[in-house]
């Protein structure tokens, strides 16, 4: 059974600055659209103390039909503990305890939660540059 430490997790996300989020077009697209597109997933993550708009890591999305991106794995840090075999599902989105992620650089007890897949339209934001991906 997952045992999140809600106050530590909430404090972690409150203290994350906008600069801590990757500024590539794919990540910015995810952050701008995921909460509205997946309200039940956002509510579930919020119940664990997580801000869905502040992912720890997002795996490179795959373009699909009609300008939609499939984000294969999105990861979030949660303070507390989680069994390796934890799984949960909301609609088409599966949650699990990650066994593959970048170093979190956190010394306290925590885990990384995977969720997948997420499908979002890709819409360029105002901040464009030469590296903005095209679909």
């Amino acid at each position: 059974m997952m045992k999140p430490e809600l106050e530590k997790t909430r404090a972690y996300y409150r203290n994350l600055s906008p600069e801590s989020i990757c500024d590539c077009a794919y990540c910015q697209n995810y952050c701008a659209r995921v909460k509205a597109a997946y309200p039940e997933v956002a509510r579930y993550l919020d119940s664990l103390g997580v801000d869905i708009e502040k992912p720890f890591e997002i795996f490179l999305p795959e373009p699909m039909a009609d300008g939609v991106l499939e984000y294969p794995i999105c990861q979030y840090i949660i303070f507390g503990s989680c069994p390796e075999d934890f799984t949960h599902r909301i609609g088409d989105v599966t949650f699990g305890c990650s066994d593959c992620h970048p170093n979190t650089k956190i010394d306290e007890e925590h885990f990384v939660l995977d969720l997948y897949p997420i499908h979002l339209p890709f819409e360029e934001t105002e901040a464009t540059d030469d590296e903005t991906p095209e679909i």
Side-chain angles (χ1 to χ4, degrees), residues 1-133:
M1 175 181 222
M2 183 192 314
K3 296 179 183 173
E5 292 188 30
L6 294 178
E7 291 312 312
K8 280 187 180 183
T9 303
R10 285 190 206 288
Y12 172 81
Y13 283 93
R14 259 193 316 272
N15 292 325
L16 276 180
S17 68
E19 293 80 32
S20 66
I21 306 300
C22 176
D23 65 355
C24 81
Y26 291 138
C27 289
Q28 292 301 306
N29 184 71
Y30 178 91
C31 294
R33 290 168 182 73
V34 69
K35 190 172 188 175
Y38 290 87
E40 290 180 45
V41 171
R43 280 191 292 277
Y44 176 69
L45 288 175
D46 184 61
S47 77
L48 301 174
V50 173
D51 183 341
I52 195 171
E53 296 173 327
K54 297 179 179 178
F56 169 60
E57 185 75 16
I58 298 174
F59 287 41
L60 186 64
E62 292 289 327
M64 298 175 68
D66 301 327
V68 172
L69 293 176
E70 179 179 88
Y71 293 83
I73 299 178
C74 308
Q75 298 180 321
Y76 293 87
I77 292 173
I78 300 177
F79 288 84
S81 62
C82 184
E84 290 179 15
D85 63 349
F86 171 81
T87 60
H88 182 69
R89 199 162 167 87
I90 297 176
D92 294 333
V93 178
T94 301
F95 299 80
C97 189
S98 178
D99 62 0
C100 181
H101 56 80
N103 185 341
T104 63
K105 300 177 185 163
I106 297 173
D107 293 330
E108 297 179 57
E109 184 177 29
H110 70 287
F111 59 95
V112 174
L113 187 70
D114 286 342
L115 62 96
Y116 54 90
I118 297 291
H119 296 103
L120 298 171
F122 181 73
E123 300 170 22
E124 291 192 42
T125 59
E126 289 179 26
T128 59
D129 59 31
D130 294 337
E131 295 182 33
T132 300

